[in-house]
Amino acid sequence: MTEQATRTDVGVSQVKCIGCGRTALPDRFRCETCRDLLEIVYPGWEPQGPYGLSAAALKKLWLDRKSSFDAADQSGVWRFREILPEIAEDKIITIREGNTPLYELPHCARSAGIQYLHAKHQGMNPTGSFKDTGMTTAASFARAAGYKWVACASTGNTSASMAAYAARGGLRSLVLIPDGKISWGKLSQSLDYGAITVQLKTDFDGCVRVLNEVVERMPVYLLNSVNPYRVEGQKTAAFELLEQRAWEPPDHIIAPGGNLANSSAIGKALREMKQLGFITRVPRVSVIQAEGANPLVRSVRENGGEKLIPVHAETMATAIRIGNPASWKKALRVIRETGGTVEQVSEVEIALAKAEIGAEGIGCEPASAVTLAGLKKLVKQGFVKPNETVVLVLTGHTLKDADFTLKFHRGDLFEGTPHEQDSRSLKPLQRSPLVLEPNVDAVIALLQSAE
Ligand code: F0G
């Protein structure tokens, strides 16, 4: 590594329960006493900052690393290593994750009724989703801790990511996915990267239940997002986003909500940035769910977020087809702390937003598009003002679910569903592939008619 900050005890992290605050062993996922989730904290940051470095020194160090050829420096996660748990350099598994673009979305801004809209595109990671940023930290920890096997239950992206990082790090991996309810692209990735891939005849929540027992009985390290090391890697996306905006916070950050770890990670990053003096103001973090997979929205609306109301999840945005999200308490804390909100969007609204993001030449998978669909609602409600700055977190690449896109453009996405009637409004955005004879005049005539 280049320009290594001097490492002392102050950098060492601790694992703590989010409920009772008791410390836990580093390879645990829930508090032994109260069963709440765990998070990583850094007591050594006080009083002088990580490794005694000020916010200004860290900002410069992290930016300088972008011009290094060292593998860890080239990672958009590990270049922020001063705010991550310490892992020996030779144990780091990196596929050069992070360093993802922040795009302007002028047409989507107009469609939502605001002036400034950007997207932090986490789908531009090595395996095509935001999961890579958390997988590099958690898989590296697994290797450092001596595990031979890692495992996850997944709606497809975690499994693709885990399979890749396990393969790169010489670990064996086991994937549990819901039978028939994930995209073929994602399934093909975990096969390609060599994971043992099992399609269980249940949904994501059922896969989680089975896996939790498997890891109790076998020496297998769990890489689901309850893993606190995943959250640490994922939080670097928010550090990077602020860096890309010259440390000027946007007014709003909007993220999709599934198992609710990503919004938790973004919020943790913002909390830490404020604590360390990187920023003085924190953006509002809002979470959008699909109407058919809306446990957080229901819980907030029906009991003020006191208790989670699990639902039977059903949505074409299969990545967020989750009814019993593990990290709901963490996400709720972020929403409350930052003054954000929760909203839900329909299947037709998701499809429309996805097509609009695609038409900007950017594209994303359906679960990511809930952010734009949700933004439109938040603008209508007056929660987001037309002159406020908004960043959408796009979590997955458009090629993750090519089937959805093809069906949308062919016009049969909603065929035989209760949304058939509503979906007629999508027609103007549909571009069905055309079949012509190999005839120059026919192609020219088509061009002229399209002018
Ligand atoms: N967007 C995409 C593309 C996802 O794959 C996921 C979650 C989310 C959003 C939601 O993020 O769970 O942190 O709230 N996918 C997981 C998986 C569950 O197994 O790939 P979250």
Side-chain angles (χ1 to χ4, degrees), residues 130-131 153-158 186 204 234 256-262 319-320 322 365 367-368 395-396:
F130 73 103
K131 306 288 182 181
S154 180
T155 56
N157 280 325
T158 300
K186 295 173 190 178
F204 170 80
Q234 278 174 218
N259 218 12
L260 296 170
N262 200 32
I320 51 172
I322 296 174
E365 68 164 284
S368 310
T395 44

Side-chain angles (χ1 to χ4, degrees), residues 61-348:
L61 179 64
W62 295 341
L63 210 51
D64 286 350
R65 284 185 180 141
K66 288 187 93 171
S67 57
S68 158
F69 293 112
D70 179 272
D73 289 347
Q74 285 190 349
S75 158
V77 171
W78 294 104
R79 72 185 176 92
F80 297 102
R81 54 189 168 269
E82 283 72 18
I83 47 104
L84 296 177
E86 193 165 73
I87 289 176
E89 188 189 338
D90 64 341
K91 295 292 188 281
I92 288 179
I93 309 167
T94 172
I95 323 181
R96 314 305 186 270
E97 53 290 319
N99 291 325
T100 56
L102 183 66
Y103 294 122
E104 235 182 297
L105 297 180
H107 300 292
C108 293
R110 217 164 303 136
S111 155
I114 61 171
Q115 282 171 290
Y116 314 104
L117 179 61
H118 285 83
K120 175 73 174 154
H121 206 326
Q122 293 298 95
M124 300 298 179
N125 267 294
T127 76
S129 86
F130 73 103
K131 306 288 182 181
D132 295 342
T133 55
M135 205 52 75
T136 184
T137 39
S140 300
F141 174 80
R143 182 154 80 154
Y147 282 94
K148 302 276 178 284
W149 276 90
V150 291
C152 72
S154 180
T155 56
N157 280 325
T158 300
S159 44
S161 182
M162 181 190 74
Y165 281 82
R168 298 294 298 169
L171 303 166
R172 304 285 314 275
S173 66
L174 169 73
V175 160
L176 301 187
I177 47 175
D179 183 28
K181 291 290 167 48
I182 76 164
S183 82
W184 287 107
K186 295 173 190 178
L187 174 59
S188 73
Q189 281 182 290
S190 62
L191 299 175
D192 200 26
Y193 304 140
I196 294 187
T197 306
V198 184
Q199 295 178 276
L200 292 186
K201 294 182 177 161
T202 176
D203 56 10
F204 170 80
D205 301 295
C207 291
V208 170
R209 277 194 296 276
V210 171
L211 186 62
N212 283 343
E213 285 216 19
V214 172
V215 299
E216 289 278 310
R217 297 211 216 150
M218 301 290 290
V220 174
Y221 188 60
L222 179 69
L223 283 177
N224 269 53
S225 59
V226 292
N227 183 314
Y229 290 86
R230 288 251 331 255
V231 173
E232 291 308 288
Q234 278 174 218
K235 83 183 181 189
T236 60
F239 276 86
E240 189 172 88
L241 160 62
L242 267 290
E243 181 188 62
Q244 286 164 314
R245 294 180 46 88
W247 303 98
E248 179 58 40
D251 295 304
H252 296 270
I253 297 178
I254 301 181
N259 218 12
L260 296 170
N262 200 32
S263 36
S264 310
I266 293 166
K268 186 172 193 283
L270 295 170
R271 198 180 300 139
E272 292 178 356
M273 277 185 258
K274 182 132 186 282
Q275 179 198 347
L276 294 172
F278 282 78
I279 53 173
T280 52
R281 180 175 62 81
V282 169
R284 293 179 195 273
V285 178
S286 297
V287 175
I288 314 297
Q289 295 194 303
E291 272 175 9
N294 63 351
L296 186 70
V297 175
R298 279 197 60 187
S299 308
V300 169
R301 292 190 182 161
E302 293 172 33
N303 64 37
E306 280 306 299
K307 191 157 117 347
L308 183 74
I309 304 175
V311 303
H312 174 74
E314 205 49 80
T315 169
M316 285 188 205
T318 51
I320 51 172
R321 191 169 170 273
I322 296 174
N324 191 9
S327 296
W328 70 277
K329 277 190 194 166
K330 286 186 179 179
L332 199 60
R333 177 180 168 202
V334 168
I335 292 160
R336 285 183 176 148
E337 236 173 49
T338 65
T341 188
V342 293
E343 192 44 90
Q344 59 184 0
V345 291
S346 73
E347 298 293 294
V348 172

Side-chain angles (χ1 to χ4, degrees), residues 266-444:
I266 293 166
K268 186 172 193 283
L270 295 170
R271 198 180 300 139
E272 292 178 356
M273 277 185 258
K274 182 132 186 282
Q275 179 198 347
L276 294 172
F278 282 78
I279 53 173
T280 52
R281 180 175 62 81
V282 169
R284 293 179 195 273
V285 178
S286 297
V287 175
I288 314 297
Q289 295 194 303
E291 272 175 9
N294 63 351
L296 186 70
V297 175
R298 279 197 60 187
S299 308
V300 169
R301 292 190 182 161
E302 293 172 33
N303 64 37
E306 280 306 299
K307 191 157 117 347
L308 183 74
I309 304 175
V311 303
H312 174 74
E314 205 49 80
T315 169
M316 285 188 205
T318 51
I320 51 172
R321 191 169 170 273
I322 296 174
N324 191 9
S327 296
W328 70 277
K329 277 190 194 166
K330 286 186 179 179
L332 199 60
R333 177 180 168 202
V334 168
I335 292 160
R336 285 183 176 148
E337 236 173 49
T338 65
T341 188
V342 293
E343 192 44 90
Q344 59 184 0
V345 291
S346 73
E347 298 293 294
V348 172
E349 287 166 336
I350 295 170
L352 171 63
K354 177 173 144 43
E356 288 175 325
I357 295 167
E360 293 258 25
I362 302 293
C364 64
E365 68 164 284
S368 310
V370 300
T371 54
L372 176 60
L375 169 65
K376 292 181 193 173
K377 286 193 155 174
L378 299 185
V379 173
K380 283 207 184 92
Q381 293 159 9
F383 183 79
V384 173
K385 312 278 180 306
N387 62 349
E388 286 184 320
T389 48
V390 181
V391 176
L392 306 179
V393 182
L394 300 183
T395 44
H397 196 280
T398 186
L399 289 175
K400 281 286 191 175
D401 197 347
D403 230 28
F404 183 103
T405 312
L406 277 173
K407 283 185 181 150
F408 174 90
H409 285 288
R410 287 191 183 131
D412 48 16
L413 185 62
F414 291 104
E415 225 173 70
T417 75
H419 314 291
E420 210 165 338
Q421 185 75 20
D422 279 0
S423 69
R424 300 225 167 101
S425 61
L426 301 172
K427 256 220 145 22
L429 278 154
Q430 286 164 355
R431 318 240 170 282
S432 183
L434 303 166
V435 181
L436 287 181
E437 292 304 321
N439 174 318
V440 176
D441 288 339
V443 176
I444 289 177

